[in-house]
Amino acid sequence: MENVKVILWGLGSMGSGIATDIVTNKQGIEIVGAIGQNPAKIGKDLGEVLGLNRKLGVIISDKPEQVLANNKADIVLHSTQSFTKDVFPELALIVNSGKNVITIAEEMSAPQVETPDLADELNKLAKKSNVTILGTGINPGFVLDTLILTMTGACQIVNKIWASRVNDLSPFGPTVMKTQGVGTTVEEFHAGVKSGAIVGHIGFRQSIYMIAKSLGWKLDDIAETREPIITNVYRETPHVKVQPGMVAGCCHIAKGYKNGLEIITLEHPQQIHPELEGVKTGDYIVIEGTPTIKFTDEQEIPGGIGTMATAVNMIPQVINARAGLLSMPELPIISALMGDVRQLIKR
């Protein structure tokens, strides 16, 4: 039985982590191609770049057309950018080459929300090539949508959903600090939100869309707020220093309304070193209904590891799926791949 063959597109922290997971933890999966853009990695063996102290026989290339054309693969794991408009050309290239794709671009979890025209085009291209497209990750893709929906499976009635993901931004780099407003004044934060420079969490509208669609709710509106988390103490990471009175993070909240009533509330307060002011990270879900279900995880599911895992763990479901642009709720439930992945593929 042949291995499941994978091409990687994107070898930043997420793509490299996905590659390492496949090579070190998964059975029956083989990486046959790697596409990158960092000049320091181009032309090098993937094993060398991953720090495995051994060669994998896969040379990193900055020519995606050649990699896609010259390597037979079942699926491409795509890790480049966040927004559908930015990744559309890359995804179209993958699909037109006749390969399935899993992307961790946040908006691609439900691209119909922001870019319905591009979503429709991707769906048509995927069906024409008889392949499947899935956008997933830890959030959106799991914590504030798929996990919630799975829990509602034990409910006869769902009246309202509230969920919060409280996390620590300290491990992230300068790009995330800027998009979350860390290190700004309060005035600079509000100006950044207004200009679009400070975005908070990418994916709330997609998560709410997937929840509502799966439950059969037709929403009137989705409203979002972004407020600064102002520190009372000095905080510092390798990339930013925050004095008391400045912004240490962003509290982003999204609400879905049905018949004028708030029925879905998702909160995502993110800041550096929350423990310095007694804030505990964690994931929390309350489903009000029959029965009411409460879930508490008093340590956040790690965003990086979780995103890498969801991308890899959905490989069998995507390969086995019908052609088209699909979302997590439309596919079989996700689970860790602890055995030979080839046994899960329907050839």
Side-chain angles (χ1 to χ4, degrees):
M1 184 184 298
E2 286 191 356
N3 287 330
V4 174
K5 293 179 170 58
V6 172
I7 292 173
L8 304 170
W9 190 335
L11 291 167
S13 58
M14 290 297 101
S16 296
I18 287 170
T20 301
D21 181 29
I22 290 173
V23 173
T24 59
N25 300 324
K26 304 308 174 189
Q27 303 174 45
I29 305 181
E30 176 186 356
I31 299 173
V32 297
I35 303 165
Q37 64 177 9
N38 186 338
K41 298 178 181 180
I42 304 305
K44 293 184 178 180
D45 187 273
L46 180 61
E48 176 187 357
V49 170
L50 296 178
L52 299 178
N53 297 318
R54 62 187 175 95
K55 292 186 176 182
L56 297 176
V58 176
I59 303 301
I60 300 171
S61 171
D62 59 357
K63 297 178 172 57
E65 295 89 347
Q66 292 183 11
V67 175
L68 293 170
N70 297 337
N71 292 280
K72 179 184 177 183
D74 299 289
I75 195 164
V76 176
L77 299 184
H78 175 269
S79 315
T80 62
Q81 302 182 73
S82 296
F83 300 102
T84 301
K85 62 180 178 59
D86 296 324
V87 301
F88 175 84
E90 298 170 349
L91 299 180
L93 192 63
I94 294 167
V95 168
N96 288 334
S97 75
K99 297 173 179 63
N100 300 294
V101 57
I102 294 174
T103 178
I104 62 170
E106 290 94 331
E107 279 195 350
M108 278 300 298
S109 60
Q112 301 89 342
V113 176
E114 301 290 349
T115 53
D117 54 337
L118 296 182
D120 183 60
E121 181 65 18
L122 285 171
N123 187 48
K124 289 177 180 177
L125 290 175
K127 289 182 176 180
K128 182 178 179 180
S129 294
N130 195 33
V131 296
T132 304
I133 304 170
L134 174 70
T136 192
I138 192 65
N139 188 40
F142 187 72
V143 176
L144 294 183
D145 38 63
T146 298
L147 180 59
I148 291 172
L149 286 170
T150 302
M151 292 171 60
T152 67
C155 297
Q156 294 176 322
I157 298 172
V158 175
N159 296 318
K160 189 175 182 180
I161 291 170
W162 172 89
S164 178
R165 177 165 168 78
V166 184
N167 76 325
D168 184 358
L169 290 175
S170 304
F172 292 91
T175 299
V176 171
M177 297 301 161
K178 291 178 182 178
T179 60
Q180 297 295 328
V182 179
T184 64
T185 65
V186 174
E187 293 76 17
E188 289 170 339
F189 180 93
H190 289 302
V193 170
K194 187 175 181 179
S195 71
I198 295 174
V199 298
H201 170 61
I202 302 171
F204 267 145
R205 298 178 70 85
Q206 288 74 19
S207 291
I208 289 178
Y209 170 86
M210 287 188 284
I211 292 170
K213 181 180 179 182
S214 298
L215 293 179
W217 285 347
K218 292 186 178 180
L219 299 182
D220 309 326
D221 187 29
I222 298 174
E224 299 180 70
T225 59
R226 298 169 183 84
E227 295 296 333
I229 298 174
I230 303 168
T231 184
N232 295 304
V233 300
Y234 177 75
R235 309 190 200 187
E236 179 180 348
T237 78
H239 303 287
V240 67
K241 296 179 180 180
V242 183
Q243 301 290 342
M246 295 180 69
V247 177
C250 176
C251 182
H252 192 170
I253 299 174
K255 299 179 179 181
Y257 294 86
K258 180 177 182 288
N259 298 328
L261 299 176
E262 176 187 327
I263 60 170
I264 302 174
T265 302
L266 303 181
E267 302 178 357
H268 200 357
Q270 305 182 77
Q271 59 187 300
I272 61 170
H273 296 300
E275 74 283 355
L276 293 180
E277 294 204 47
V279 176
K280 293 184 178 180
T281 63
D283 296 305
Y284 311 93
I285 299 170
V286 177
I287 301 168
E288 295 182 14
T290 308
T292 290
I293 298 176
K294 298 182 179 181
F295 168 87
T296 298
D297 180 4
E298 294 185 343
Q299 55 179 7
E300 62 173 303
I301 301 173
I305 294 174
T307 294
M308 299 169 201
T310 53
V312 174
N313 290 333
M314 286 302 293
I315 288 174
Q317 288 92 325
V318 171
I319 292 176
N320 292 337
R322 70 181 190 273
L325 171 65
L326 302 179
S327 63
M328 287 291 283
E330 296 176 282
L331 292 169
I333 190 170
I334 188 172
S335 61
L337 301 177
M338 301 306 297
D340 193 322
V341 176
R342 293 174 295 182
Q343 303 298 324
L344 301 175
I345 304 299
K346 300 173 184 177
R347 296 288 186 181

